[in-house]
Amino acid sequence: MDFEIYKIMFDVAIVGGSSTGLIAARELSKHGLRVCVLEEHEIGEVVCSGLISVNGVKELGIKPENVENIIRGVRFVSPSNVEIYAHSNIDRAFVVNRGLFDRQIAEEALSSGAKIFEKFRAKKIAFKNDYVDINGEIRAKIVLGCDGLKSIVARACSLNPPRRVVASAKAVFKNADYLQEDVAEVYFRDYAKGFFAWILPRGKCVEIGVGVRKANLRLALERFLKERGLELKSFQTGAFPVEVVSDTCGYRAMIVGNSAGQVKASTGGGVITGGICAKIASKACLKSLEEDKFDKDFYKKNYEDIWKKSLLREFYAHIIIRELYERLDKHSLDALFKIAREEGIDKIMIKYRDTDKPSKFLDEIMKKEKIISFLSQFI
Ligand SMILES: Cc1cc2nc3c(=O)[nH]c(=O)nc-3n(C[C@H](O)[C@H](O)[C@H](O)COP(=O)(O)OP(=O)(O)OC[C@H]3O[C@@H](n4cnc5c(N)ncnc54)[C@H](O)[C@@H]3O)c2cc1C
């Protein structure tokens, strides 16, 4: 990095140029702040299915340009193939090309004046009296840690990024059969314990993936593919957090997105929730610079308390749902599917279809005595 850059005092340096960091950069640069994004890879080099809710992108003010499919329904399949199918004519989610989605947001940030440094790995973060120094190459008044599960920003502030994670793998197949092009399928299998396997239609292809907590990832994907007569050739792997972090602020610093566990634990989706938290963190940055306050308590009040107020209940609802996948064995899952079908769960799913905010769905389930009495033995 050249010395001219070190002379710039950025208002905000964002470590991590995946969706959360780029959404923060877009927000901050729109408000005229001097922002830089430091990304160790290239923008768009990300492992993600790109399933993002229609409501969520609206809330973030993003119009995705690379939509491969629109999802209107979901089919859940139990270990012995009992099905729950919930479909309506309302557009629920986009399947986007995630690499292009990130580049679209990066372009918007660049056009508002943000700087993006690719292949830049933040290795050393030092908190000085008046600024934050990154690698002795970048100076900024505030640092945002949008740097995922191994967050260096979190560690520099003595915060703990999430430890509980789901490992996942996915592969894309041309011309593989799928039932309906606007339906995502979720399969509970004992070899994918703690999470599930999925089939997602993507344009003329299908994506087949699997997530596991404590099982062999490659074997799980191979077994799921074998069930559909497919063979594993190439695949991508990644991981996402399934717990939320409570302490997300430090002196001149906030952690946002995957690094803070701001992910929907029951689905692994983190683009929208991370983006919402990035917008909250961006507002906190603006206020911090206006008032010249950079202490942890300031960010706690203006970032942490706000994201918790709007999303913590929803994160907990996701965590409860995912923990059920982990606690229930295959027989119990089959039994639960049968009871849930009898109780009309498909209609509840259609009515409360906002998967970013499942707490209302859970409230409704709590009214179903048969389901609750069945589940009480596992709690
Ligand atoms: C297989 C899979 C499928 C998924 N599918 C979906 C989906 O369909 N929908 C959805 O909403 N979410 C999905 N997710 C989750 C989603 O990808 C993330 O939640 C989303 O990318 C937001 O994460 P983030 O930006 O906070 O962090 P991450 O995506 O983890 O990005 C962190 C970034 O920081 C960079 N970085 C890390 N350390 C440094 C450093 N020291 N210096 C510089 N750069 C650094 C990394 O290179 C990376 O680009 C999926 C995840 C996986 C693994």
Side-chain angles (χ1 to χ4, degrees):
M1 186 79 56
D2 77 54
F3 188 64
E4 290 306 307
I5 299 290
Y6 194 65
K7 283 193 203 155
I8 303 173
M9 176 63 77
F10 286 100
D11 292 313
V12 185
I14 299 165
V15 181
S18 181
S19 55
T20 305
L22 293 168
I23 291 168
R26 172 181 177 265
E27 282 304 302
L28 291 162
S29 55
K30 259 195 323 206
H31 285 91
L33 298 196
R34 277 167 306 175
V35 186
C36 66
V37 177
L38 313 174
E39 169 52 52
E40 66 178 326
H41 301 113
E42 285 181 9
I43 300 296
E45 258 183 56
V46 54
V47 178
C48 176
S49 305
L51 185 68
I52 48 178
S53 67
V54 171
N55 289 347
V57 281
K58 222 182 259 170
E59 188 170 345
L60 293 175
I62 299 171
K63 285 192 186 134
E65 288 164 5
N66 289 282
V67 176
E68 295 176 350
N69 253 30
I70 292 182
I71 298 297
R72 301 187 185 88
V74 61
R75 185 188 315 279
F76 290 96
V77 184
S78 82
S80 70
N81 296 328
V82 179
E83 290 190 10
I84 294 171
Y85 175 68
H87 183 277
S88 74
N89 288 327
I90 298 165
D91 296 352
R92 290 169 65 142
F94 296 118
V95 181
V96 298
N97 176 317
R98 181 53 209 282
L100 296 179
F101 177 82
D102 282 15
R103 276 189 239 153
Q104 178 192 337
I105 306 168
E107 283 304 325
E108 291 175 22
L110 285 167
S111 66
S112 307
K115 296 219 177 304
I116 298 180
F117 301 112
E118 294 174 280
K119 309 234 175 209
F120 182 108
R121 177 152 203 242
K123 290 183 203 140
K124 197 163 179 241
I125 298 184
F127 294 95
K128 310 282 183 188
N129 275 344
D130 302 335
Y131 64 94
V132 186
D133 179 291
I134 302 174
N135 295 4
E137 294 178 276
I138 293 283
R139 292 188 304 157
K141 291 182 188 156
I142 304 167
V143 62
L144 291 186
C146 303
D147 47 348
L149 287 169
K150 292 188 180 148
S151 175
I152 186 171
V153 178
R155 278 180 280 135
C157 304
S158 304
L159 302 172
N160 296 313
R163 281 197 204 121
R164 193 176 280 243
V165 300
V166 160
S168 61
K170 65 187 187 71
V172 172
F173 293 84
K174 285 185 187 146
N175 308 321
D177 278 347
Y178 53 85
L179 298 173
Q180 261 172 278
E181 69 172 25
D182 64 350
V183 173
E185 298 191 336
V186 173
Y187 291 76
F188 293 94
R189 293 291 187 258
D190 54 357
Y191 52 80
K193 191 135 180 69
F195 210 65
F196 51 76
W198 70 86
I199 304 183
L200 188 64
R202 329 189 54 100
K204 291 196 166 59
C205 303
V206 285
E207 176 185 298
I208 297 189
V210 63
V212 300
R213 269 275 296 145
K214 288 173 191 160
N216 185 310
L217 186 58
R218 190 193 167 104
L219 277 184
L221 185 58
E222 277 173 346
R223 281 192 63 180
F224 188 58
L225 292 175
K226 208 171 162 200
E227 283 177 22
R228 358 215 74 66
L230 294 165
E231 208 183 309
L232 184 59
K233 287 188 180 127
S234 65
F235 64 108
Q236 293 178 303
T237 59
F240 44 80
V242 289
E243 69 178 349
V244 63
V245 168
S246 157
D247 207 359
T248 54
C249 306
Y251 170 65
R252 291 184 183 272
M254 288 166 265
I255 54 169
V256 196
N258 277 14
S259 56
Q262 292 160 339
V263 169
K264 302 183 284 180
S266 69
T267 67
V271 172
I272 301 299
T273 46
I276 293 171
C277 294
K279 280 183 88 165
I280 299 169
S282 303
K283 278 196 191 143
C285 289
L286 280 166
K287 202 162 180 224
S288 154
L289 292 159
E290 267 163 29
E291 296 183 18
D292 205 28
K293 288 184 179 154
F294 301 97
D295 55 284
K296 179 173 175 152
D297 285 347
F298 182 88
Y299 296 127
K300 200 179 157 337
K301 186 167 164 226
N302 290 285
Y303 165 61
E304 193 170 285
D305 290 353
I306 296 175
W307 75 254
K308 285 185 176 173
K309 196 169 170 216
S310 73
L311 283 174
L312 195 59
R313 191 166 186 268
E314 306 303 335
F315 288 136
Y316 282 148
H318 280 292
I319 288 168
I320 290 169
I321 295 169
R322 195 211 61 82
E323 289 198 351
L324 281 176
Y325 312 160
E326 194 158 320
R327 284 184 196 194
L328 270 58
D329 64 17
K330 58 181 181 180
H331 304 293
S332 318
L333 272 168
D334 281 329
L336 177 63
F337 265 63
K338 283 178 194 151
I339 298 169
R341 271 173 67 115
E342 283 162 24
E343 293 290 295
I345 198 167
D346 52 335
K347 292 188 185 65
I348 304 175
M349 282 174 171
I350 291 169
K351 188 164 177 201
Y352 300 99
R353 61 186 166 271
D354 187 349
T355 54
D356 295 334
K357 296 177 184 157
S359 61
K360 287 202 177 112
F361 166 76
L362 266 196
D363 289 346
E364 218 39 45
I365 294 294
M366 297 297 272
K367 294 180 195 158
K368 299 286 177 189
E369 270 174 37
K370 278 191 189 160
I371 298 182
I372 293 308
S373 93
F374 177 79
L375 288 178
S376 59
Q377 55 186 311
F378 302 98
I379 295 164

